């Protein structure tokens, strides 16, 4: 009886730890892979970039109220910085935050596309 009582909590801990590491093993690769948005969503994001962002940054992203966003303007700028600016906006300037419309993963994809250039909204 004494033995049972002292063993079972230890076994529960052992099982919980096992489950924990099993979950960890599954969740780490899932979090590490960056999936491109679905093709339909990609078209929506490009449409947003040209129409909405374009209203300030120029329909061809050559600049307007907001600075130019062409590959030569963005090269050398950190993807994390650019994603942050787009998601959070720039307080005190007309640049609004987009984190309601666009997810972090989508913004990273968009930044990669912007750096590649040749943006066509069709
Ligand atoms: C209402 C006007 C407006 C809209 C709409 C807008 N922006 Fe901006 N954006 C600005 C302004 C103004 C700045 C410059 C802010 C500053 O002074 O730092 C800016 C800055 C930026 C920057 C930083 C550029 C750099 O070189 O540091 C990026 C990137 C950017 N915008 C991307 C976007 C994207 C992507 C969208 C659409 C999802 C968007 N903007 C929509 C006005 C706008």
């Amino acid at each position: 009886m004494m033995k049972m009582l002292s063993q079972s909590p230890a076994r529960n801990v052992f099982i919980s730890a096992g489950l924990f590491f099993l979950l960890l093993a599954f969740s780490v690769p899932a979090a590490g892979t960056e999936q491109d948005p679905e093709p339909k969503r990609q078209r929506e994001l490009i449409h947003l970039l040209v129409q909405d962002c374009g209203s300030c940054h120029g329909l061809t992203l050559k600049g307007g109220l907001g600075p130019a966003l062409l590959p030569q303007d963005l090269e050398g700028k950190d993807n994390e910085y650019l994603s942050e600016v787009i998601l959070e906006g720039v307080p005190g300037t007309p640049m609004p935050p987009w984190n309601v419309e666009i997810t972090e993963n989508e913004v990273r994809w968009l930044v990669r596309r912007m750096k590649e250039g040749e943006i066509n909204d069709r």
Side-chain angles (χ1 to χ4, degrees), residues 48-49 52-57 65-69 73-74 77 81-83 85-86 90 93-96 98 102 110-111 114:
L48 178 100
L49 180 63
D52 293 44
C53 315
S55 67
C56 284
H57 292 275
L65 173 64
L69 299 176
D73 307 301
L74 300 180
K77 291 194 178 161
Y81 156 79
L82 293 169
S83 302
V85 166
I86 297 167
V90 185
T93 79
M95 176 63 188
W98 293 89
I102 321 178
L110 204 56
V111 165
M114 286 158 68

Side-chain angles (χ1 to χ4, degrees), residues 91-110:
T93 79
M95 176 63 188
W98 293 89
N99 53 18
V100 175
E101 271 105 323
I102 321 178
T103 68
E104 273 183 44
N105 190 46
E106 289 169 351
V107 140
R108 291 204 198 94
W109 177 82
L110 204 56

Side-chain angles (χ1 to χ4, degrees), residues 27-36 105:
S27 59
V28 164
T33 40
E34 274 197 11
Q35 291 254 304
D36 282 351
N105 190 46

